[in-house]
Amino acid sequence: MLAVTSPSSTFPYPSTNNHANLHQYVSAQIRQLSPDRSAKASMGGKTYLRHDSAQPVEPSQTSQRPIRRVATEAPGRSTPNGVSATDRDDIRVTVNGDHRSTKPGPLVRSNTDLAPRRADLPNRPEPAEDRWELRHGWDEQYNSAEYLGQLRAGWYMYYMDKRHETGGKPRQEDPSHNTSEWRMRDRLKTVSAALTICLNIGVDPPDVIKTNPTAKLECWIDPTASIGTNNKTMEQIGKKLQEQYEGLSIRVRYKQYLDPSVEETKKFCMSLRRNAKDERILFHYNGHGVPLPTPSGEIWVFNRNYTQYIPVSLYDLQMWLGAPSLFVFDCSNAGNIIANFDRFVAKHEEENAKARENDPSVQLQTYGDNIQLAACGKSESLPTSPDLPADLFTCCLTTPIDISLRFFLLENPLPSDLTLRDVTRIPGRLAERRSPLGELNWIFTAITDTIAWNRLPRTTFKKLFRQDLMVAALFRNFLLSERIMRSNGCHPMSVPSLPETHNHPLWQTWDLTIEMVLAQLPAMVAAEQGGPPYEYRHSDFFTEQLTAFEVYLSQGAPNREAPSQLPIVLQVLLSQVHRLRALILLSRFLDMGPWAVNLALTIGIFPYVLKLLQSAAFELKPVMIFIWARILAVDGGCQTDLIKDNGYQYFINILNPANPLPVHNANEHRAMAAFVVAMFCRGFNQGQTVSLSPDLFNSCIGHMQDDNNPLLRHWSCLCISMLWADFPEAKWAGIRCQAHINLCERWNDEVPDVRTAALHALNNFIGIPDLTAQVAHYEETVATLVLRMTADGSSMVRRELLVFCSTFVKRYQSKFLVAAFEQLVKEKEDLMQAGTHGDSNPKRGALTKTDSSQDSQDSESARVSYGSVQGTMWMHLLIMSIDPHPEVAQDAKCIVDYVHERLLQSPLGPRAQPLMDDIIRLSRRAAAAKSQPPSRQPSVAPNARRTPGAGSPAPPALPKNESYLSMGMRKSASMAAALKHLTFGGHEAPAPLEEKSATTYQRVPGGPIRTRVPAEWTKPPDVYDPTTHAKAYVKAKTPKSRGYTKRGPNSSASLPLKSGFFDWSIEVLHLIDFRANHIPKNHPLTALQYFREPQMQGADSDEPGSGDYNQKLWRRSRNDKVLALTQPLKGVAGTSKWDVPMGFFNNGSQPMKMCFHQFEDHLAIADDRDTICIWDWTKHHRLNRFSNANPDGTRINEARFINEDDQAFLLTGSSDGIVRIFRNYESPENIELVSAFRGLTRRIPSAKMAGLVLDWQQGQGKLLVAGDDRVIRVWNAASDICSTEISARSSAPLTSLTTDAVAGDILIAGYGDGALRVFDQRLRPQQAMIQIWKKHKQWITNVHMQRGGLRELVSGCRDGEVKLWDLRWRDEISTVKAVEEGSVMRGLSVHEHAPVFAAYVSPLASKQNLPNPSLSSSNRAKSKAIIIISGSSTHTLTLYNTSSSQQQQQPLSVLEPTSPSSYSGVLPHLNRNIPVACAAFHPHRMVLAGGAMGSTWVNLWGCKGAEGG
C-alpha cells in the first residue's frame, strides 16, 4: 500500500503554554481515533478532553460489512520513482534494527490534466481475498498503536483566543485595577519634635499615690539614684529620650523641654509650627511629675518658679501646635485627653468657618489632621511594678526590643538562670541585621507590620504605616505596647483607633524568636569573655514564613484573600540570602492579577524593586523583568521613577541581543523588557527622549525577524510604536534604520497580534509635522504596502487597518475629497451605461458594451486620483464599509461619512450634491427595472407549484439604504450604506423577482447548453429552486460581536479613529517559561507570565473540582457514551432499512442545508435566504433562530460545527463568499459573532455559479474555501490568514470539497464539468495536484470522504452516477446508478462512519410542460399533474450501501418527504410532487434528516435495528 508522509507543520502562534514543539507535529497529524484522550488546547490556554468521531475499524464492529481487499501491483514492477510497487505498498524504515512503518508520503501527482496515463498503474483494482482494510492504503498507519499514541498528546480548539473573545478591544476597567492611591499623593513627614518631660524630680504630685517599692526608671535611668543633682539627671533623661527617638527616625529635629513653664510651652509650640509649616510635628508629653489630666483633658506644666502647677487646655495646645501633629501622652488618666481632643478641634473648625464667611481670603490654621497615642484609659493608672520602668509606654514606643526581652523574662513561666540584667547583654546593633540584636529588630518589624496588615483596614494601614516613617515606627511599637500594657491593667488608646491586636497569633512567634535568642545568650556571652567560640544560629523565621507564603500561593488565593505573609516577604527583600526566593514567590503572587499587584504596591513593594534595578546581580534580571512588567501592566504611572538613576536603561540593555540572560528562553524575557520600554515611552516625551537611540531601533528590528517568538515580535513592534508616537526625531531615526519598511513586511505574519502591532506602529509613524515631498513619499509607500491587509481574516487586524486609514485620510484630506468626487462621477457613468447595456438587441448591446469599455478606460486614465494611493485606499474603504464584521463595517462607514461630509462642505459640494441625487435616482430606476417581469417566460423548476396570484408582480420596492443622499445628507444613517453599490457595481447577483407569492423562481443562467445531455445535468442542483419572497420572509435577529456598540444616529464622524489595541495587548495571555540556571528543575516556580491575566496557575478548566473542569468531564463521558452506543451499529446500518419514522417538525422557512452536531442533540438548518435555525432534534424543539446577515440575492451554502468535542461553534458560508463563525449558537440571549471574513476575496462571474463550498479540518485547524474562483484557498484558523492558494486547474466552477478529516493532507475537489481532482497540501501549490478523474461527465453534486469507517471516497454527479474511489487507482472502485432514466440527482449525502449514502432524485422536466403563467390560479393548480413527462413520477430519497456495484444496485430504502397537506388538514401525507431540497446524516447515530422543496417541514428517519443509536 502507498504510504503518505506528513511533514511537520509550523505552529502558527504559540500563545499559551509553550506547546509549539508539540504542535509542530500534531498540527499535521490525523484526528485521534480513540475516545480516551485529553489534550492541551493551543488557543486560549485551555485543556480539552478529546473524543473523536473517527474510530479505528475493528473486525467485531464491521462483521456484517463485506469489504473487498484492495489489490496491489505485481511484485517487482517498478515505478517512475524508482520504487517497486511492492516496496511502495509497504515502505519501512529501520531504526536501531527495528522495522517501523513510516508516515504516509506525498502521493504521486500528474503534471497536467492532459498527462498520459502511466502504463504501470492498473485501471481497476484486481479482485483479491477479502480482508478488513481501510481505503487508500491507510490501514496500517491509522491502526498503528505508535501513531495513535502520538495523537493522544494533543488536540486543539480554534477561534477561542482572546482576540476572538474581545475583538482586540480592552475590557472595561476593573475596580481592582485602580492603583492611584498606593503612592499616597498627600504624603507627610514629621520634621520637628518637642520632647516635653515634666518630672520635677524629688517632688511627687499631690494626686499621685505611689506603691513601695514602685517603678522608678525613666528612659532606663533611675532618677532617685542621684539625689541632689536633679538638673543633671533631667538632662540625662532628656538626652536618653532623644536618643531613643533618634533610633526611630534620625532626620527629625528634636528639642528637649524639661519641666517647662506655661510660657515656654506656648513659645516652643508656636515656634515649632512656624518652622514646620505644613509638615507634621511630634509632641511627646511625659507627665509623671505633675497632676493627672483633668476630666476636661487639661494637662499640667509649671510656673516659672516651679511653685505651682499650671493647667494647659487642649484648646490652647491645639491653637499653638496646629495640624498636622502627632501627640504622645505618657501619663495616668491619659484617656481624658483623647476623649476631649476632638471636641476642641470641632470648636476651632467652627471659628474658622465663621472667619471664612467674613473674609474668604483669610489665612487660617488647620486643626483636623491629628494623631494621638495615650498610655491608658480615662481612669487608669500606669503600672508601678518595680520590675518595669515608670515610663513603660514610652519604652514600648521607643525601645521595643529591650522591653520585649524584659517582658518575656518576666512572663516566662519556666525557670531560667537569666536575669533582667542579662537580657541587656545581647550582642550586636539594631542596624546590623545579621547580628542577634539586629535580627530581633528585623523580625519585630516584620511581625508588627504583618499584624497591622492583617487587622487594620487598608486605608488606615496606608495612612499609619506607609505615609510617615515616624508615624509608622511609633504605631508598630504601639502594637507591642497594647500587648504589654494590657497585661499590666492598662488599655492604650489611639486616634485613629485600632482594632485589638494583642491576641494575634504572630505574638507567639515573636516569643519563640526571643526564646531562641535567649537560649544562645549564655554561650554568646561566654565567647565574648574569652570562652570557646560560638557561631550564632540565625532564626528560621523568614524561611518558615516564605514556606507559608508558598503554601498560600499553591492554594490559588481563594476568594482573593490577602496573604498574611506579604509584609514579611517585603522585609525579606532586604536580605541577600533570601532575596531571590522572595522575588520568585512575589512574582507568583503578582501573577494572580491586578488585585495582587495592587496589594503589593499598597504594602510598599515599589521602592524595593526600584532600588533593585541598580543591582548588578545577574541572577535577578529575569525575575526583575517580570515584576516590572506586571507592575507597569497595572499602573503605567511609574515612568518618572524609571528615569531616576537611569532605571530604564536596565531594560534597554536587556533588549540588546548581545547581552545574555540566565534563562533558556531569553527571548520571552526580552519581550517583557520591550513591554516595559514601551510603557516607559507611552505618552511620556521625556522617556522617549532618553530612550531614543539607534541601538534600540536595531534591537527591535532584529527581534521582529525572530519567527520563533511571536511575543517578542509583537512587543518589538509596539515598542517602536510608543517610541516614535508624536516624536518626529524618533521617526527620522526610524527611517534611517528602515524601521517602517521592516514593519510593513509584517503584513503576512502568521500571528494576528503581530500584524496588528505592526499596523499600530505604522499608524503612529504617520504625521511628521513638516509634510515635504520626501515625507509624503515615505508615508504613501507605507500606505501602499499595508493595503494588502484589507483581505486579512482577522477582524482585529482590519479594525487596526482602518485606524491607520483614518489617520492617513485626515492627513491627506484634500486628495481624498477629489478621489471621492471622481468616484461619484464614475458611479453615475456606470449606472447610465448599465441602462444602455440593457438594450434588447444583443448585437447592438455588445457593440455598445465594447465601446463603453474603451471609454471607461479612457475616462479612468483621465481621473486625477486614478492610480494614486488615495484613490486606491478610497476604493478599499468603500469595500470595507460593507465588511461582514459589524465593527469593521461601522468604522469604515465612519471614515466614508467623514469624507462625504467634508466633500459637501468643500468647494466641490455644489457639484457633489447633484451627483449623489442622480446616483440615487438611477439606482431606483435600475431596481425598478429588475423588479419588472421579463418579456419572455423564464424557465422554472420542474413540477413546482405556484401559489395563486404569483403571476402579478408587486410594485418595485426601493432599497431602504439608498434613500439617504437624496434627503439632504441626514445623519440618521451612514453614507457608506447609501453608496453600497459603489463597491460591487456590475457584479451583484440578480435580485429576486418581487412577487406577492410566498415563493418565486429564479431565472435560469444563460450560456451554451450541451444538446447531447439534459440541460439539468449541466447546472447546479438548486438552479430551479424557488426563493422565498422578501415580503413573506420574517427577518431574524442578527448576532453581533461581543462588546459591539452601534454608532448613534446623531453622532458625527470624527477622525482619526482611536485604537485600543495597546491596552488590549497588556491583557493578552502569554505563558512564559521562567527557569534560571541556578533554580533546580523541581523548583515550584517553573513559569512566569506578565500583563494582567494570571497564568502561573492552571486555567480554571484544568483545575480538578472547578465548574469548567466538571463540565468538561461530563462532556467527555457523554461523548464516550455516544461513541460506545453508535460504533457497533455501523454494520447494521449497511444492511437494514432506513424507513423508521422519527418524527417531523416545521422549520418555519425553506430548509436548504442541514448539519448535525456529533454529540449534542443539535441540528442546524439554513434556509434559502439568510436564516439559521437550531433545533433539538430529539425533542423537536427550536432552540434559536438568527440571521446570517448575507445580503439579498445570496443564500447560505454551507453550515458546519467546529470544536465539537468541547464547546462547539457554528461555521457558515454564504454564496457571496463570506464565512461567519458563531459562539453560543443555541442561545438566543448569548449568541455572538466570533469571526467574519471574506473566504472568497474575488468571484469570477459565470453562467453556472456554484457559490461557496468549504471544508473544515479540525485536526489542522484549516478552512478550505472554493467556489466561483480559480483557486482553492486554505485559511489557517490559528493565524486568520490565507496560508495557501492552490490553483483549481480548471475553468469550471468548483462545486464540492472534501478532505481526509483524519490526517488533513489530502484534498479532493469536484467540478461543474464532472472532473475530480486530488491535491496534496504538503506539496508546493504549483505541484499540489496529484490525481485527476474524469469518469463523471456532468455537474458534481457532492464528493465526500468518510472521517471514520473505511474512509470511503464517494462522488456523485447530476446524471445519477455515484462512484467509489481509491486514491491509489486511476479508475473507480465501483459505480452505483442511483437514478432511473429520465431523472436527475439533486444531491448526495454520505454517512461519516456507516457504509451508507443517500441520493435525492427528481424527474426531468420538459420546458413545454411547465405551468403557463397566463392561466388562472385554479387552472395552474390543476395543471401540476402534467409537469412530469418522463422517468419516475416521484421525488425520492434513496439510500444505498457503499459496497453496491452496478450488478447489485438494490437500494436499502426509498424515502419520500412527508408534510401536512393543505388539502387534508394537518394530518401528514406523502407529497410526491415536491423534490427533496436537502438531506443530512447524523455523524454517529443512524439518523437521517431531510427536507422538501416548497415545504418548511423537516423529516427524520432512523435505521431499523438501530433505533437506540
Side-chain angles (χ1 to χ4, degrees):
M1 63 185 70
L2 182 63
V4 182
T5 302
S6 177
S8 61
S9 61
T10 303
F11 179 51
Y13 187 29
S15 61
T16 60
N17 294 4
N18 282 336
H19 284 289
N21 296 331
L22 175 63
H23 194 278
Q24 287 178 354
Y25 177 78
V26 175
S27 63
Q29 301 308 314
I30 66 173
R31 198 172 184 175
Q32 62 189 54
L33 303 178
S34 67
D36 183 18
R37 65 202 52 174
S38 63
K40 176 73 71 176
S42 67
M43 315 309 292
K46 301 178 181 178
T47 302
Y48 295 93
L49 303 181
R50 165 75 187 113
H51 324 279
D52 186 37
S53 57
Q55 301 297 318
V57 178
E58 299 293 343
S60 60
Q61 297 180 357
T62 57
S63 57
Q64 302 183 25
R65 166 72 192 277
I67 301 297
R68 65 169 54 89
R69 176 183 181 273
V70 180
T72 60
E73 298 187 51
R77 181 174 297 176
S78 62
T79 66
N81 295 331
V83 182
S84 67
T86 304
D87 295 336
R88 188 183 64 233
D89 288 340
D90 192 9
I91 300 177
R92 295 177 179 271
V93 296
T94 303
V95 181
N96 297 330
D98 182 18
H99 297 279
R100 300 179 181 178
S101 297
T102 64
K103 294 181 291 185
L107 298 176
V108 179
R109 63 177 292 273
S110 55
N111 294 325
T112 176
D113 289 1
L114 304 178
R117 291 180 178 272
R118 291 169 46 189
D120 57 323
L121 287 178
N123 291 332
R124 187 178 299 278
E126 301 173 3
E129 59 177 318
D130 291 346
R131 67 183 180 90
W132 300 106
E133 184 179 277
L134 299 181
R135 296 290 187 201
H136 323 298
W138 292 340
D139 183 72
E140 181 176 354
Q141 176 192 3
Y142 288 175
N143 290 284
S144 168
E146 178 183 359
Y147 193 48
L148 298 181
Q150 293 171 342
L151 297 175
R152 293 189 180 96
W155 191 258
Y156 302 90
M157 301 293 120
Y158 296 93
Y159 296 104
M160 301 183 73
D161 281 344
K162 187 178 180 67
R163 67 176 182 273
H164 296 121
E165 296 179 356
T166 63
K169 296 177 296 184
R171 296 176 301 182
Q172 295 295 329
E173 194 69 19
D174 192 290
S176 63
H177 295 181
N178 185 11
T179 57
S180 59
E181 297 181 359
W182 70 269
R183 284 184 176 273
M184 300 299 296
R185 304 297 180 183
D186 56 345
R187 186 166 187 169
L188 300 174
K189 60 180 179 180
T190 302
V191 296
S192 301
L195 306 181
T196 308
I197 305 175
C198 299
L199 292 181
N200 196 14
I201 299 175
V203 179
D204 293 333
D207 57 352
V208 174
I209 300 176
K210 295 184 178 181
T211 62
N212 190 15
T214 187
K216 298 179 181 180
L217 299 180
E218 297 283 352
C219 297
W220 303 106
I221 297 176
D222 185 358
T224 63
S226 56
I227 299 297
T229 57
N230 294 340
N231 291 335
K232 187 174 182 179
T233 302
M234 283 291 296
E235 292 176 1
Q236 292 176 350
I237 293 175
K239 183 178 180 181
K240 184 65 175 179
L241 179 61
Q242 180 174 336
E243 290 178 354
Q244 293 175 183
Y245 267 107
E246 287 175 347
L248 302 181
S249 178
I250 192 66
R251 298 181 180 180
V252 179
R253 298 188 298 269
Y254 297 98
K255 185 67 174 177
Q256 307 168 26
Y257 298 98
L258 310 178
D259 292 339
S261 64
V262 63
E263 293 81 5
E264 292 174 343
T265 303
K266 177 180 180 180
K267 182 178 179 180
F268 72 70
C269 286
M270 297 181 67
S271 175
L272 286 176
R273 173 50 58 197
R274 184 171 52 253
N275 296 330
K277 298 181 180 179
D278 294 330
E279 298 293 346
R280 179 173 283 117
I281 296 174
L282 169 63
F283 180 80
H284 178 94
Y285 176 75
N286 183 328
H288 297 171
V290 294
L292 302 177
T294 65
S296 60
E298 295 171 316
I299 61 174
W300 298 88
V301 292
F302 304 94
N303 63 359
R304 290 185 178 181
N305 299 324
Y306 296 98
T307 59
Q308 292 180 344
Y309 299 105
I310 307 298
V312 178
S313 68
L314 287 178
Y315 179 86
D316 293 337
L317 185 64
Q318 292 171 357
M319 184 172 59
W320 300 338
L321 288 175
S325 298
L326 170 60
F327 296 90
V328 177
F329 300 106
D330 187 356
C331 58
S332 298
N333 291 3
N336 289 330
I337 305 174
I338 302 297
N340 292 278
F341 198 94
D342 290 340
R343 179 166 59 88
F344 291 104
V345 169
K347 187 175 181 180
H348 281 294
E349 295 296 341
E350 291 177 2
E351 294 174 354
N352 286 347
K354 292 180 181 179
R356 290 191 185 95
E357 292 177 359
N358 298 330
D359 185 4
S361 61
V362 65
Q363 297 293 329
L364 299 174
Q365 175 67 52
T366 60
Y367 301 96
D369 188 6
N370 292 293
I371 300 174
Q372 304 144 54
L373 299 176
C376 58
K378 290 183 178 181
S379 57
E380 294 178 346
S381 299
L382 297 179
T384 58
S385 172
D387 295 328
L388 296 175
D391 59 346
L392 178 61
F393 184 63
T394 300
C395 290
C396 291
L397 295 182
T398 57
T399 57
I401 305 302
D402 294 338
I403 196 63
S404 293
L405 293 170
R406 179 179 289 260
F407 176 76
F408 174 81
L409 201 60
L410 294 174
E411 297 292 325
N412 186 11
L414 300 178
S416 175
D417 296 334
L418 296 176
T419 64
L420 294 177
R421 184 179 181 83
D422 292 335
V423 298
T424 62
R425 304 175 62 183
I426 296 179
R429 295 190 305 116
L430 294 177
E432 296 178 355
R433 286 189 293 271
R434 298 301 296 171
S435 66
L437 192 60
E439 186 180 59
L440 276 176
N441 186 57
W442 185 23
I443 294 175
F444 174 79
T445 303
I447 286 178
T448 50
D449 252 12
T450 304
I451 293 175
W453 170 258
N454 293 333
R455 292 291 175 89
L456 271 62
R458 292 288 176 262
T459 55
T460 305
F461 176 84
K462 287 188 292 184
K463 178 180 180 180
L464 301 182
F465 288 82
R466 292 297 180 263
Q467 188 182 65
D468 187 341
L469 293 179
M470 174 62 77
V471 174
L474 287 176
F475 269 91
R476 275 196 298 267
N477 300 341
F478 178 78
L479 301 182
L480 175 66
S481 71
E482 186 181 20
R483 184 191 187 208
I484 295 178
M485 299 289 286
R486 276 178 177 267
S487 65
N488 289 274
C490 293
H491 296 80
M493 301 178 66
S494 68
V495 175
S497 61
L498 304 182
E500 293 184 357
T501 59
H502 65 282
N503 55 355
H504 196 280
L506 276 179
W507 287 122
Q508 299 179 8
T509 305
W510 174 237
D511 292 339
L512 176 61
T513 303
I514 294 177
E515 184 177 8
M516 294 180 64
V517 173
L518 294 180
Q520 303 178 70
L521 181 58
M524 290 187 292
V525 171
E528 286 184 349
Q529 295 176 353
Y534 180 79
E535 182 178 357
Y536 174 70
R537 185 169 63 87
H538 293 279
S539 173
D540 295 331
F541 171 77
F542 290 108
T543 302
E544 294 170 351
Q545 293 300 317
L546 288 178
T547 302
F549 186 47
E550 190 172 351
V551 172
Y552 165 87
L553 295 174
S554 65
Q555 295 176 349
N559 301 323
R560 292 188 175 183
E561 294 180 358
S564 59
Q565 301 84 10
L566 194 57
I568 299 175
V569 176
L570 188 66
Q571 290 293 323
V572 173
L573 295 179
L574 301 173
S575 169
Q576 293 185 356
V577 177
H578 304 289
R579 180 177 296 162
L580 179 59
R581 185 188 178 194
L583 286 174
I584 292 174
L585 294 178
L586 179 63
S587 302
R588 291 179 58 186
F589 175 69
L590 297 180
D591 182 67
M592 292 183 173
W595 68 272
V597 178
N598 196 8
L599 284 177
L601 293 175
T602 302
I603 199 66
I605 191 66
F606 188 78
Y608 292 82
V609 295
L610 181 64
K611 188 66 175 178
L612 286 175
L613 290 179
Q614 309 304 319
S615 173
F618 194 58
E619 67 278 2
L620 295 183
K621 287 186 176 182
V623 68
M624 286 300 298
I625 297 171
F626 173 80
I627 291 176
W628 270 97
R630 295 296 292 189
I631 292 176
L632 289 175
V634 176
D635 185 2
C638 306
Q639 297 158 316
T640 55
D641 301 284
L642 285 173
I643 288 184
K644 299 175 182 178
D645 300 324
N646 296 328
Y648 67 92
Q649 199 66 38
Y650 187 90
F651 304 99
I652 294 179
N653 293 336
I654 290 173
L655 267 178
N656 193 335
N659 295 328
L661 285 174
V663 285
H664 72 280
N665 55 344
N667 286 336
E668 282 81 355
H669 290 81
R670 289 195 173 95
M672 288 189 281
F675 163 72
V676 173
V677 176
M679 291 295 294
F680 174 63
C681 296
R682 186 185 187 187
F684 186 49
N685 183 260
Q686 190 176 358
Q688 293 173 308
T689 303
V690 298
S691 301
L692 178 59
S693 67
D695 291 340
L696 180 57
F697 270 109
N698 292 331
S699 297
C700 292
I701 292 172
H703 293 320
M704 283 193 294
Q705 315 304 322
D706 184 3
D707 294 333
N708 297 323
N709 197 301
L711 184 64
L712 182 56
R713 300 198 305 272
H714 181 168
W715 281 104
S716 295
C717 294
L718 290 182
C719 182
I720 293 177
S721 177
M722 294 295 103
L723 179 60
W724 66 21
D726 301 322
F727 189 31
E729 290 81 359
K731 294 178 182 179
W732 284 112
I735 290 173
R736 289 188 290 270
C737 297
Q738 295 292 304
H740 61 299
I741 301 299
N742 284 274
L743 287 167
C744 291
E745 293 175 354
R746 294 291 98 197
W747 74 274
N748 62 345
D749 194 282
E750 62 183 7
V751 181
D753 301 44
V754 178
R755 302 197 298 271
T756 311
L759 281 171
H760 191 280
L762 292 172
N763 177 60
N764 285 336
F765 174 76
I766 302 296
I768 298 178
D770 189 9
L771 185 56
T772 62
Q774 183 184 16
V775 172
H777 170 71
Y778 288 138
E779 295 180 345
E780 290 179 351
T781 300
V782 169
T784 303
L785 294 176
V786 301
L787 283 180
R788 294 175 291 184
M789 305 173 75
T790 54
D792 197 286
S794 172
S795 61
M796 181 178 68
V797 176
R798 300 199 301 274
R799 288 193 68 198
E800 195 67 26
L801 175 62
L802 288 173
V803 175
F804 172 87
C805 292
S806 68
T807 304
F808 194 78
V809 168
K810 182 74 172 179
R811 185 164 174 82
Y812 298 92
Q813 178 174 309
S814 59
K815 294 184 178 181
F816 276 95
L817 296 182
V818 175
F821 179 80
E822 292 182 340
Q823 180 60 32
L824 291 175
V825 175
K826 181 179 182 300
E827 177 60 21
K828 179 181 176 181
E829 294 174 354
D830 291 344
L831 287 173
M832 296 179 66
Q833 292 173 4
T836 304
H837 294 165
D839 197 307
S840 59
N841 189 331
K843 294 183 179 180
R844 186 166 66 245
L847 291 174
T848 305
K849 186 175 182 178
T850 303
D851 297 339
S852 63
S853 176
Q854 182 64 36
D855 294 341
S856 177
Q857 294 178 4
D858 295 339
S859 63
E860 284 188 359
S861 62
R863 292 164 52 193
V864 176
S865 62
Y866 178 74
S868 67
V869 178
Q870 289 78 14
T872 304
M873 182 176 287
W874 179 247
M875 291 302 301
H876 281 290
L877 287 172
L878 291 175
I879 295 174
M880 297 181 75
S881 66
I882 54 171
D883 192 271
H885 197 279
E887 295 183 4
V888 177
Q890 181 168 265
D891 289 348
K893 289 175 184 177
C894 182
I895 300 176
V896 173
D897 286 355
Y898 176 87
V899 174
H900 282 150
E901 288 176 359
R902 297 303 181 272
L903 176 61
L904 293 176
Q905 298 169 5
S906 70
L908 291 173
R911 298 182 59 188
Q913 184 65 61
L915 280 174
M916 294 179 179
D917 295 338
D918 291 342
I919 289 173
I920 296 301
R921 177 175 51 81
L922 293 172
S923 299
R924 290 178 175 178
R925 182 183 302 173
K930 290 180 180 180
S931 301
Q932 296 297 326
S935 59
R936 185 179 56 181
Q937 173 61 31
S939 300
V940 296
N943 305 325
R945 295 189 292 113
R946 292 176 179 264
T947 58
S952 57
L958 298 179
K960 291 183 294 184
N961 60 351
E962 294 185 356
S963 61
Y964 172 68
L965 295 176
S966 60
M967 299 180 67
M969 307 306 293
R970 287 171 45 197
K971 294 181 181 179
S972 59
S974 174
M975 299 182 191
L979 297 177
K980 178 178 178 181
H981 57 281
L982 292 177
T983 308
F984 294 116
H987 296 287
E988 291 184 347
L993 297 180
E994 300 286 348
E995 296 181 312
K996 293 182 180 180
S997 61
T999 59
T1000 185
Y1001 301 99
Q1002 297 177 347
R1003 295 179 58 91
V1004 179
I1009 300 176
R1010 300 180 185 177
T1011 58
R1012 63 179 182 272
V1013 297
E1016 288 80 359
W1017 290 4
T1018 63
K1019 295 179 173 61
D1022 57 355
V1023 67
Y1024 296 119
D1025 292 348
T1027 303
T1028 305
H1029 189 271
K1031 293 184 178 180
Y1033 193 80
V1034 180
K1035 200 76 173 177
K1037 182 181 178 180
T1038 302
K1040 302 299 183 183
S1041 57
R1042 181 177 297 180
Y1044 171 75
T1045 302
K1046 188 176 181 180
R1047 181 182 166 197
N1050 298 322
S1051 61
S1052 60
S1054 62
L1055 297 185
L1057 301 175
K1058 302 300 181 183
S1059 172
F1061 176 74
F1062 189 90
D1063 291 327
W1064 177 85
S1065 297
I1066 300 175
E1067 302 172 357
V1068 176
L1069 309 180
H1070 294 289
L1071 188 66
I1072 301 176
D1073 281 345
F1074 178 87
R1075 188 174 298 141
N1077 294 337
H1078 58 273
I1079 300 178
K1081 292 184 179 180
N1082 59 351
H1083 195 276
L1085 179 58
T1086 57
L1088 288 179
Q1089 187 271 341
Y1090 70 102
F1091 305 137
R1092 293 181 177 172
E1093 297 291 343
Q1095 281 294 300
M1096 288 187 188
Q1097 65 270 25
D1100 188 57
S1101 58
D1102 299 334
E1103 295 294 332
S1106 66
D1108 290 344
Y1109 186 86
N1110 292 337
Q1111 292 178 14
K1112 185 186 302 182
L1113 286 180
W1114 179 87
R1115 284 191 291 268
R1116 176 180 185 180
S1117 176
R1118 185 269 318 272
N1119 298 352
D1120 289 341
K1121 290 179 181 179
V1122 172
L1123 295 174
L1125 178 65
T1126 58
Q1127 290 301 313
L1129 301 177
K1130 293 187 297 184
V1132 177
T1135 58
S1136 303
K1137 294 290 185 179
W1138 283 69
D1139 55 0
V1140 179
M1142 300 183 66
F1144 62 98
F1145 50 85
N1146 189 353
N1147 186 58
S1149 58
Q1150 173 66 62
M1152 294 300 294
K1153 293 291 179 181
M1154 297 182 180
C1155 181
F1156 281 96
H1157 192 290
Q1158 287 194 57
F1159 305 108
E1160 300 283 355
D1161 296 331
H1162 294 167
L1163 173 62
I1165 302 176
D1167 64 11
D1168 56 347
R1169 291 175 69 90
D1170 70 340
T1171 301
I1172 300 173
C1173 294
I1174 306 297
W1175 287 83
D1176 185 331
W1177 60 269
T1178 60
K1179 300 178 182 179
H1180 301 171
H1181 171 65
R1182 190 173 73 185
L1183 303 174
N1184 193 12
R1185 180 178 183 268
F1186 60 92
S1187 171
N1188 191 56
N1190 47 288
D1192 293 339
T1194 62
R1195 61 174 57 184
I1196 301 171
N1197 289 124
E1198 300 283 355
R1200 305 288 175 87
F1201 290 106
I1202 65 176
N1203 301 340
E1204 295 175 90
D1205 300 292
D1206 196 69
Q1207 294 178 336
F1209 293 171
L1210 180 65
L1211 182 147
T1212 65
S1214 50
S1215 57
D1216 58 348
I1218 302 300
V1219 177
R1220 293 177 176 86
I1221 300 170
F1222 300 95
R1223 177 194 296 112
N1224 302 324
Y1225 57 85
E1226 76 283 2
S1227 172
E1229 296 82 13
N1230 301 323
I1231 185 171
E1232 294 174 343
L1233 179 67
V1234 177
S1235 180
F1237 59 94
R1238 298 187 185 277
L1240 290 180
T1241 55
R1242 57 181 179 270
R1243 298 174 60 204
I1244 300 175
S1246 172
K1248 294 175 287 187
M1249 304 289 285
L1252 176 143
V1253 295
L1254 57 82
D1255 195 33
W1256 167 252
Q1257 295 179 346
Q1258 184 72 43
Q1260 290 195 355
K1262 292 181 180 179
L1263 179 66
L1264 291 86
V1265 182
D1268 299 326
D1269 202 352
R1270 298 291 183 264
V1271 296
I1272 303 170
R1273 286 179 170 79
V1274 182
W1275 289 87
N1276 193 311
S1279 59
D1280 282 332
I1281 59 173
C1282 180
S1283 58
T1284 308
E1285 288 189 353
I1286 303 174
S1287 174
R1289 305 292 290 271
S1290 175
S1291 60
L1294 199 151
T1295 64
S1296 182
L1297 274 178
T1298 187
T1299 60
D1300 171 21
V1302 182
D1305 298 321
I1306 304 302
L1307 161 67
I1308 303 95
Y1311 294 81
D1313 59 0
L1316 295 172
R1317 290 177 173 83
V1318 183
F1319 302 89
D1320 191 333
Q1321 299 183 58
R1322 295 163 295 181
L1323 301 177
R1324 296 173 55 192
Q1326 298 82 358
Q1327 301 174 344
M1329 195 183 75
I1330 57 176
Q1331 182 67 279
I1332 180 173
W1333 293 305
K1334 291 190 175 181
K1335 300 299 182 179
H1336 292 293
K1337 301 302 180 184
Q1338 309 306 331
W1339 187 282
I1340 299 296
T1341 59
N1342 191 16
V1343 57
H1344 185 81
M1345 178 181 286
Q1346 291 180 313
R1347 71 175 69 175
L1350 298 183
R1351 320 292 180 194
E1352 295 284 9
L1353 177 59
V1354 185
S1355 66
C1357 68
R1358 290 280 281 166
D1359 61 4
E1361 285 190 349
V1362 179
K1363 297 180 181 293
L1364 274 68
W1365 306 90
D1366 192 301
L1367 295 176
R1368 298 168 293 178
W1369 306 110
R1370 286 289 186 182
D1371 291 343
E1372 67 274 18
I1373 300 297
S1374 64
T1375 300
V1376 177
K1377 190 66 175 177
V1379 302
E1380 304 174 1
E1381 286 295 329
S1383 298
V1384 62
M1385 186 169 70
R1386 291 178 52 85
L1388 174 71
S1389 296
V1390 184
H1391 200 284
E1392 294 290 0
H1393 295 83
V1396 178
F1397 67 87
Y1400 24 114
V1401 182
S1402 297
L1404 290 175
S1406 179
K1407 184 177 297 185
Q1408 63 270 22
N1409 293 96
L1410 295 174
N1412 189 343
S1414 63
L1415 297 176
S1416 63
S1417 301
S1418 59
N1419 292 333
R1420 284 201 305 271
K1422 295 177 182 179
S1423 67
K1424 62 184 179 181
I1426 66 171
I1427 296 178
I1428 305 300
I1429 63 171
S1430 63
S1432 171
S1433 61
T1434 60
H1435 301 262
T1436 62
L1437 188 60
T1438 310
L1439 281 77
Y1440 292 89
N1441 190 303
T1442 55
S1443 62
S1444 300
S1445 62
Q1446 292 181 353
Q1447 295 77 22
Q1448 302 173 350
Q1449 293 190 8
Q1450 295 301 321
L1452 296 175
S1453 296
V1454 178
L1455 307 174
E1456 297 179 5
T1458 302
S1459 63
S1461 171
S1462 58
Y1463 303 98
S1464 59
V1466 296
L1467 296 178
H1469 79 295
L1470 296 179
N1471 191 339
R1472 298 174 179 271
N1473 294 326
I1474 56 176
V1476 178
C1478 56
F1481 283 101
H1482 192 284
H1484 294 294
R1485 300 183 185 276
M1486 307 308 148
V1487 176
L1488 173 65
M1493 186 59 60
S1495 172
T1496 61
W1497 292 81
V1498 176
N1499 295 262
L1500 297 173
W1501 297 277
C1503 176
K1504 186 174 295 183
E1507 289 81 355

